[in-house]
Amino acid sequence: GFATLPDLIRAHARERGSSTAIADPQGSIDYATLDRTMDRVAAALQRDGIAAGQAIAIVAAPSTSYLSVFLGAVRAGCVATPIAPSAIPSAIAAMIADSGAPIVVLDEPMAQALADERVTARILLLSDADLPPEGPSGDAELLEHWLAPDGARPTPVAIAPGDAFNIIYSSGTTGTPKGIVQSHAMRWAHIARNSAAGFDTAVTMIATPLYSNTTLVSVLPTLGWGGSVVLMGKFDARGYLTLAERYRATHTMLVPVQYQRIMALPDFDAFDLSAFRFKTSTSAPFSAALKADVVARWPGLLVEFYGMTEGGASCALNATAHPTKLHSVGQPMPGHEIRLIDDDGVEVPPGEMGEVVGRSPAMMNGYHGRSAATRDAEWHDAEGNRYIRHGDVGRFDEDGFLILMDRKKDLIISGGFNIYPSDLEAVLGQHPDVADCAVIGMPSESWGETPVAVIVPRSPEANPADILAWTNAQLGKTQRLSGIHPTSELPRSAIGKVLKRELRDRLTGTPA
Ligand code: ATP
Ligand code: MG
């Protein structure tokens, strides 16, 4: 039959029940405990008549209980629906309602934050610390009281590969959050593709939120293969290294801005990171210089993934093995197929730039309750095969490595010329006074749009006018920046993506 991730966890509980499954800042649980808690969650859902296929929402900081509820819901055939606690309360309430979840699990700060919102689901609290006097938690119950008794066994549920495993809401970097439905088969593909990654003996350090696919593609394979997950909670570079050293971490998934902060620590080389074997990154552009620095100074392989929550296709770059390809995101993974198309949906000639479309064994079922949006996200080849549009623009080099440019929505069209912000960001990033930068298109009367840079200067002495002149001297005539704005920090999402929409809003009304 078809073994689900909860089935794999059951097997680990039998074979290595006392080995650590998940650790968080409060403590850790072994595989036997994880498996028993998942049973208690699944049995409670069945007791309450919650049918397979229904969403169970979770809005909380990462913890062992969070993952136990998530996986227990999946064991009952329900659809785990982790939601970003960092979203604004009204948006969180809207996502809970959109998912149709009859139950939402909240931690204490989240219960406080949602006090003034209408929450459509029954509320379960992860802890009883200082219950707020009013608000939705007034009639909330404690998860601990709701769980079926220890030793309870849920009725086994028949699960098919195409059944929904979880819903992840898109981050909304480019629009309203949509619920991306991921199947058991898709999760299985993520586990299977890591068969050579040594996750069976892994200690995987996680410092990103659990509602993000970026995190789950590392957490779920670790548990699928029987390794240990260490959840660090709120990230800071020195805290991360201290914890990694203490746990003798072997695997990790970090987003580029986290690598950047860690490598910038003056005493980085003083930490003992010799246990590391496999480091990954995904979700945002990772500069070649930073990849080279990580490869040179941090033990273990560095592999960058490019992909999206919706699936489509993923690329992988083994940065350690391909020092001359660090400007790329690597090659499509086995069984993954990428094509590049133009504005009319026609494939571009080899070597040319186009929008990425992809297909693989790991594709979303669709957007929850949004068939029109799902259709818009698809592309079909001549044989009628279904691809997912990634919304990114890139080109393949002569060796088949994908060089990613920008999100299609971020391209700047100025006086009829296409400007790729990433080209300009690459030049700016080489200036010694620029610590971080982003280029966006601003409305212009003469050109339609014009490129403007927002930079984080390395020191207060940095002179924007000099940086502008230096940069423009290296750019083609049609690419030149019309302004540079210094700022103390670029706005980023909780998983480190630069929020260009927010930057644009910030600059509106500011003369370039
Ligand atoms: P939304 O769809 O709501 O705007 P999102 O696209 O940021 O959110 P994700 O599915 O998490 O949500 O991110 C996928 C996108 O992240 C890709 O389309 C690409 O733009 C970017 N991305 C992922 N991996 C990489 C990478 N290795 N290098 C550069 N960009 C990447
Ligand atoms: Mg997207």
Side-chain angles (χ1 to χ4, degrees):
F2 176 74
T4 63
L5 176 58
D7 294 336
L8 296 180
I9 290 171
R10 171 95 78 218
H12 299 317
R14 293 213 180 100
E15 288 152 19
R16 49 172 99 180
S18 61
S19 68
T20 300
I22 310 161
D24 70 14
Q26 272 71 52
S28 68
I29 55 170
D30 60 21
Y31 272 96
T33 311
L34 172 61
D35 186 54
R36 269 206 317 276
T37 314
M38 287 165 60
D39 269 351
R40 295 178 67 191
V41 172
L45 289 169
Q46 292 179 345
R47 176 201 63 210
D48 289 356
I50 312 254
Q54 289 206 268
I56 302 300
I58 313 171
V59 204
S63 69
T64 58
S65 354
Y66 184 125
L67 280 173
S68 306
V69 171
F70 181 114
L71 294 162
V74 173
R75 177 167 282 168
C78 292
V79 189
T81 304
I83 292 173
S86 49
I88 56 171
S90 59
I92 294 173
M95 287 186 262
I96 297 170
D98 182 80
S99 75
I103 288 185
V104 60
V105 179
L106 304 177
D107 62 9
E108 170 35 38
M110 212 53 246
Q112 302 266 14
L114 290 178
D116 295 330
E117 300 298 327
R118 210 180 81 78
V119 175
T120 49
R122 177 173 163 194
I123 295 171
L124 299 177
L125 284 176
L126 280 171
S127 88
D128 59 355
D130 303 323
L131 290 184
E134 279 154 46
S137 53
D139 36 289
E141 299 149 77
L142 283 183
L143 178 84
E144 191 54 41
H145 296 162
W146 171 85
L147 287 178
D150 204 6
R153 277 300 194 117
T155 311
V157 179
I159 289 171
D163 288 348
F165 180 109
N166 68 272
I167 292 177
I168 288 185
Y169 278 88
S170 61
S171 64
T173 11
T174 55
T176 335
K178 295 186 281 291
I180 300 166
V181 182
Q182 300 183 314
S183 64
H184 281 262
M186 184 170 178
R187 287 300 178 202
W188 184 261
H190 293 150
I191 296 170
R193 78 181 183 195
N194 281 297
S195 62
F199 271 118
D200 52 337
T201 54
V203 176
T204 304
M205 280 278 299
I206 294 296
T208 44
L210 290 173
Y211 59 82
S212 152
N213 193 51
T214 298
T215 310
L216 293 174
V217 293
S218 189
V219 166
L220 301 180
T222 302
L223 295 173
W225 289 100
S228 309
V229 173
V230 177
L231 302 171
M232 97 165 270
K234 200 171 154 42
F235 173 82
D236 74 277
R238 178 161 283 105
Y240 174 91
L241 290 177
T242 309
L243 212 58
E245 197 178 60
R246 178 175 337 135
Y247 278 97
R248 306 256 337 124
T250 61
H251 289 55
T252 197
M253 201 304 302
L254 292 165
V255 296
V257 65
Q258 293 175 320
Y259 279 110
Q260 188 188 318
R261 303 231 165 107
I262 292 172
M263 300 317 288
L265 286 178
D267 55 343
F268 171 83
D269 300 303
F271 288 88
D272 175 9
L273 304 176
S274 58
F276 271 99
R277 287 181 271 140
F278 190 64
K279 303 182 298 298
T280 60
S281 174
T282 186
S283 93
F286 193 163
S287 80
L290 184 58
K291 287 180 215 174
D293 192 25
V294 174
V295 169
R297 295 200 290 143
W298 189 335
L301 285 183
L302 174 64
V303 176
E304 178 185 13
F305 290 108
Y306 158 68
M308 62 193 308
T309 309
E310 287 90 335
S314 301
C315 288
L317 173 73
N318 179 337
T320 312
H322 295 288
T324 62
K325 298 292 188 186
L326 300 184
H327 58 295
S328 81
V329 293
Q331 297 156 294
M333 302 187 63
H336 291 229
E337 203 184 327
I338 281 183
R339 297 188 179 198
L340 302 174
I341 61 170
D342 65 18
D343 286 342
D344 301 321
V346 178
E347 235 184 313
V348 301
E352 282 189 20
M353 207 98 81
E355 181 188 350
V356 177
V357 297
R359 87 192 222 97
S360 72
M363 311 246 279
M364 69 165 171
N365 289 6
Y367 294 116
H368 179 68
R370 293 171 194 256
S371 44
T374 305
R375 273 193 305 279
D376 287 348
E378 293 172 346
W379 179 82
H380 293 88
D381 66 10
E383 290 80 52
N385 295 313
R386 172 179 173 248
Y387 287 68
I388 300 207
R389 305 176 74 126
H390 287 218
D392 300 307
V393 176
R395 69 178 173 83
F396 281 107
D397 75 4
E398 60 290 354
D399 299 315
F401 285 69
L402 181 66
I403 300 171
L404 208 60
M405 299 302 291
D406 294 273
R407 287 176 189 262
K408 207 171 171 200
K409 288 185 178 164
D410 290 334
L411 290 194
I412 302 168
I413 302 174
S414 185
F417 291 97
N418 274 358
I419 300 178
Y420 294 90
S422 56
D423 278 342
L424 280 56
E425 288 158 3
V427 173
L428 269 167
Q430 282 162 15
H431 192 284
D433 290 340
V434 176
D436 207 356
C437 66
V439 170
I440 54 177
M442 293 301 285
S444 151
E445 260 178 40
S446 2
W447 307 109
E449 272 185 304
T450 184
V452 166
V454 180
I455 62 161
V456 178
R458 241 181 245 290
S459 76
E461 285 85 62
N463 181 333
D466 290 351
I467 299 173
L468 181 67
W470 180 91
T471 307
N472 279 345
Q474 301 181 63
L475 293 172
K477 204 169 159 222
T478 56
Q479 285 182 306
R480 288 182 192 152
L481 287 168
S482 57
I484 286 193
H485 299 266
T487 186
S488 55
E489 207 175 340
L490 296 180
R492 281 196 156 85
S493 73
I495 48 166
K497 295 179 194 256
V498 173
L499 301 171
K500 290 203 167 177
R501 217 172 36 167
E502 193 173 313
L503 270 182
R504 245 173 252 128
D505 291 349
R506 268 200 207 171
L507 287 195
T508 310
T510 320

